Amino acid sequence: MQGLIQRVKHAKVEINNQVVGEIGQGILVLLGVEKQDDEQAADKLLHKISNYRIFTDENDKMNLSLKDIAGELLVVSQFTLAANTKKGMRPSFSSAATPSQANELYEYFVAQAKALNLTVATGEFGADMQVSLCNDGPVTFNLAV
């Protein structure tokens, strides 16, 4: 399971010109699910994302987590993160989870994030979405478990 995380000042997801998810300061996570992933992987990734120290403290050092700043989380499904791009000029998605498995783990991830009392917004699994953000820094990390 992979989470491409971006520290944002704000971010939103639109479908058909309608905002379906929006956050202020926090993390936008593009969530990629692969065949071998399970709830344990989702839990591990969520723990890492919510505790990853990427926000600046009073000394301008990356030393604070999403939890520390009471930041918000925008979760967007992103199956292309599972692509194999090592060979050729076209990505292979053979390692990506099936849509039903990916949706199940996506929904589980979102539910677990809400259970942590995080402010959570989402896109819509499998939809054609437009994602807008103000990347703060820019700060972007690819977290994999």
Side-chain angles (χ1 to χ4, degrees), residues 72-127:
E72 300 174 275
L73 184 66
L74 177 57
V75 185
V76 177
S77 60
Q78 180 81 42
F79 87 96
T80 60
L81 284 175
N84 182 340
T85 59
K86 293 181 181 178
K87 293 166 75 176
M89 298 304 291
R90 182 171 179 226
S92 167
F93 298 103
S94 60
S95 66
T98 65
S100 62
Q101 178 195 9
N103 187 31
E104 185 178 314
L105 285 173
Y106 168 80
E107 295 295 338
Y108 176 82
F109 183 92
V110 169
Q112 294 303 105
K114 289 178 179 177
L116 292 176
N117 293 319
L118 296 174
T119 300
V120 181
T122 66
E124 182 181 310
F125 185 87

Side-chain angles (χ1 to χ4, degrees), residues 38-67:
D38 56 16
E39 290 180 356
Q40 184 179 358
D43 291 339
K44 189 173 181 181
L45 182 61
L46 178 58
H47 176 78
K48 196 167 190 177
I49 290 170
S50 61
N51 291 288
Y52 214 59
R53 298 183 311 172
I54 63 171
F55 295 93
T56 55
D57 64 14
E58 66 279 355
N59 297 316
D60 205 30
K61 300 285 185 201
M62 278 193 211
N63 204 29
L64 300 174
S65 70
L66 185 68
K67 285 181 173 180

